[in-house]
Amino acid sequence: PAVITTTLQLSTCLEQILNQQFPPGKVIVISLPSWSPDYEERSLSTNSETVSTNYLIAHLSKKMEWPLIISTDSQSADKDIPDPQHGYVILLFPDEDIVQSLEIQIEALRTFSYSHNRRGKFIVVVLDEDIHNSQSIAKDLLVALWAMENIGNSIALVQKVEKNNNLTRSVYDDYTM
């Protein structure tokens, strides 16, 4: 099913999914790609509005009852990270190869060797409005998760723009494996 979203509704949608999938107190990791050195400048565009990823993370942090960990790159050593990580929200930005971007982030998450949990719930959010076939992209992402680590407990949210008469709206289609 498609979920209509605006910028605020994206964070509310994620909040609802997290509330349904995780009991309070479980550790959630938000994974961002490492290819942009300035995370303040990163933004998502929905319905011609712009919201920073910082806003998205801050909104989730205020509303959530779990520890949130932000991952942007590989870990050289396990720090004081609660064990195990129970779930992952992986944000994928527009990229030439979205599947490769996912694979790079999964490799970075694997470096949390002591706390990485491939049996946790993986929520992959594709933040690209120029997706022509959301079902195909979601299938590719879910298959890649399975191929990399046998991750089957996953949800893919793929953004697309629907045009109906004079109305244009952003929606997220959700897919599971």
Side-chain angles (χ1 to χ4, degrees):
V3 179
I4 300 172
T5 59
T6 63
T7 48
L8 177 60
Q9 289 172 328
L10 171 59
S11 58
T12 303
C13 177
L14 278 174
E15 178 188 344
Q16 289 176 349
I17 291 170
L18 293 173
N19 278 322
Q20 290 174 356
Q21 299 295 325
F22 302 104
K26 300 300 181 184
V27 178
I28 309 296
V29 177
I30 297 178
S31 177
L32 300 166
S34 61
W35 46 258
S36 176
D38 187 356
Y39 293 100
E40 296 290 329
E41 296 299 318
R42 264 198 208 163
S43 63
L44 330 172
S45 173
T46 56
N47 290 340
S48 301
E49 298 175 18
T50 301
V51 63
S52 73
T53 52
N54 288 348
Y55 172 83
L56 177 66
I57 293 167
H59 177 82
L60 291 175
S61 181
K62 284 181 201 173
K63 300 284 187 170
M64 300 297 100
E65 300 178 21
W66 323 277
L68 291 178
I69 296 172
I70 310 301
S71 170
T72 58
D73 207 351
S74 301
Q75 303 299 309
S76 57
D78 282 328
K79 309 244 183 329
D80 293 330
I81 298 171
D83 182 53
Q85 297 164 351
H86 293 88
Y88 303 87
V89 176
I90 301 170
L91 300 178
L92 297 175
F93 293 86
D95 198 336
E96 287 183 18
D97 189 344
I98 199 94
V99 173
Q100 183 181 20
S101 180
L102 172 65
E103 291 170 348
I104 290 167
Q105 286 192 56
I106 293 294
E107 286 298 326
L109 292 171
R110 281 182 179 168
T111 64
F112 287 91
S113 59
Y114 184 66
S115 55
H116 177 65
N117 180 8
R118 70 178 185 83
R119 291 193 176 113
K121 172 71 81 176
F122 286 74
I123 301 166
V124 180
V125 182
V126 179
L127 302 167
D128 186 351
E129 291 183 345
D130 294 328
I131 301 292
H132 299 291
N133 187 344
S134 60
Q135 185 174 8
S136 176
I137 293 294
K139 177 184 166 229
D140 292 346
L141 294 170
L142 296 172
V143 167
L145 286 172
W146 180 257
M148 288 187 73
E149 289 200 337
N150 294 339
I151 297 169
N153 193 4
S154 54
I155 298 171
L157 295 174
V158 182
Q159 183 180 19
K160 70 177 184 178
V161 174
E162 289 185 346
K163 295 178 182 179
N164 188 1
N165 297 329
N166 291 334
L167 177 66
T168 300
R169 64 184 184 168
S170 290
V171 298
Y172 279 83
D173 286 333
D174 59 317
Y175 303 90
T176 61
M177 186 150 190

